[in-house]
């Protein structure tokens, strides 16, 4: 540990840059492939300082849904495959008016996920979207406020398979003394020095994301970051 009061990193931005440069230390043991990275990843679960993700082998064939708002990606996924439904059914399922439901179904049709049925007024989902990212690791970086960091990192488990807190090594003593809390919440804990030396105190178990909605929202945001399309 450094002398109390001495900051290894002058700002959190410096810490985040160091995390990205040393990303293999964070993602080691999670997947053998080199991960992709996005900084300041903002979703309805909050803004993670960094996420790492491993792309599905067929991600290019499914990047089209980046053109949809997040909630409509999740709604698309939950529609039954190759079972007829009406605009009214979709409106009821999603809690919107019929006009909005019809507009969204037309977007699904343009993207190749749905088509109008031969039965009057009926629709079919003909293609199932798959996740762009098969693994997501979220990281919250803090110079010293580990209690706030652990709350934020725990929230990212809504969409991430793993979440981590990475702290400035000089301000990590309180967190290191609270490793039981990190284990209880399944949040990883690492400290990082400016020289790039890391030390792991808690390694979280990789689990399925807690919220299907947030998982699909995250996949939509990742897809958008890869394609930067305009919304329909």
């Amino acid at each position: 540990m450094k002398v109390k009061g001495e900051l290894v990193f002058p700002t959190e931005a410096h810490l985040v840059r160091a995390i990205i440069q040393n990303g293999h230390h964070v993602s080691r043991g999670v997947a053998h492939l080199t991960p992709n990275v996005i900084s300041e990843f903002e979703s309805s679960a909050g803004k993670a300082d960094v996420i790492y993700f491993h792309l599905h082998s067929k991600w290019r064939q499914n990047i089209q849904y980046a053109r949809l708002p997040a909630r409509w990606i999740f709604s698309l996924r939950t529609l039954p495959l190759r079972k007829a439904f009406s605009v009214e059914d979709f409106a009821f399922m999603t809690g919107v008016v019929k006009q909005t439901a019809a507009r969204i179904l037309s977007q699904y049709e343009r993207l190749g996920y749905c088509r109008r049925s031969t039965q009057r007024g009926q629709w079919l989902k003909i293609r199932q979207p798959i996740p762009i990212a098969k693994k997501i690791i979220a990281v919250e970086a803090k110079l010293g406020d580990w209690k706030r960091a652990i709350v934020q990192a725990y929230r990212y488990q809504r969409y991430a398979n793993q979440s981590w807190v990475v702290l400035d090594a000089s301000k990590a003593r309180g967190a290191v003394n609270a490793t039981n809390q990190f284990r209880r919440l399944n949040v990883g804990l690492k400290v990082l020095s400016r020289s790039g030396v890391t030390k792991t105190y808690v390694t979280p178990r990789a689990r399925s994301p807690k919220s299907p909605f947030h998982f699909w929202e995250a996949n939509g945001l990742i897809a958008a970051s890869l394609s930067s399309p305009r919304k329909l």
Side-chain angles (χ1 to χ4, degrees):
M1 291 288 179
K2 296 290 183 181
V3 177
K4 185 177 181 181
E6 179 187 350
L7 285 178
V8 178
F9 297 95
T11 66
E12 285 186 5
H14 286 83
L15 176 58
V16 169
R17 284 197 291 271
I19 290 169
I20 293 172
Q21 291 168 2
N22 293 275
H24 62 284
H25 293 301
V26 175
S27 59
R28 181 178 295 163
V30 178
H32 67 281
L33 300 174
T34 301
N36 298 275
V37 60
I38 299 175
S39 60
E40 296 188 343
F41 182 77
E42 188 165 8
S43 71
S44 61
K47 183 188 286 188
D49 289 303
V50 182
I51 67 162
Y52 298 93
F53 58 95
H54 299 273
L55 290 168
H56 193 283
S57 60
K58 296 182 179 180
W59 69 272
R60 292 184 188 277
Q61 294 96 307
N62 286 269
I63 202 168
Q64 297 94 333
Y65 62 61
R67 303 177 69 188
L68 295 168
R71 70 163 295 190
W72 298 116
I73 301 172
F74 177 69
S75 297
L76 172 62
R77 177 67 184 191
T78 56
L79 275 172
L81 184 65
R82 301 193 182 280
K83 291 185 179 180
F85 63 91
S86 66
V87 174
E88 291 81 4
D89 293 333
F90 186 63
F92 179 79
M93 183 187 91
T94 56
V96 299
V97 299
K98 183 178 176 180
Q99 292 82 352
T100 301
R103 177 174 58 83
I104 298 301
L105 287 173
S106 293
Q107 291 184 21
Y108 292 166
E109 184 179 34
R110 287 197 292 274
L111 295 176
Y113 288 103
C114 290
R115 66 171 174 79
R116 299 169 203 272
S117 172
T118 54
Q119 297 176 275
R120 183 176 176 84
Q122 297 290 296
W123 286 78
L124 285 173
K125 185 171 81 171
I126 57 175
R127 182 177 161 211
Q128 187 77 293
I130 64 171
I132 291 290
K134 58 183 179 180
K135 286 186 182 292
I136 303 175
I137 306 159
V139 179
E140 185 64 23
K142 284 286 185 288
L143 295 183
D145 191 352
W146 69 267
K147 291 182 179 178
R148 183 180 176 191
I150 196 173
V151 170
Q152 292 173 299
Y154 181 72
R155 192 180 302 129
Y156 304 150
Q157 292 175 8
R158 295 175 186 176
Y159 64 82
N161 302 96
Q162 280 191 337
S163 63
W164 289 81
V165 168
V166 179
L167 300 173
D168 183 313
S170 70
K171 293 291 185 178
R173 189 177 301 277
V176 171
N177 291 334
T179 53
N180 285 341
Q181 189 169 344
F182 283 83
R183 291 190 184 94
R184 180 174 62 83
L185 296 177
N186 196 40
V187 172
L189 174 62
K190 282 183 181 286
V191 302
L192 177 61
S193 72
R194 197 167 187 178
S195 64
V197 177
T198 65
K199 186 171 182 179
T200 302
Y201 288 91
V202 178
T203 299
R205 293 180 295 277
R207 290 177 173 171
S208 297
K210 293 181 176 180
S211 165
F213 171 82
H214 288 95
F215 173 71
W216 281 98
E217 176 192 30
N219 270 271
L221 294 169
I222 291 170
S225 76
L226 295 172
S227 60
S228 300
R230 293 182 180 180
K231 298 290 186 185
L232 290 177

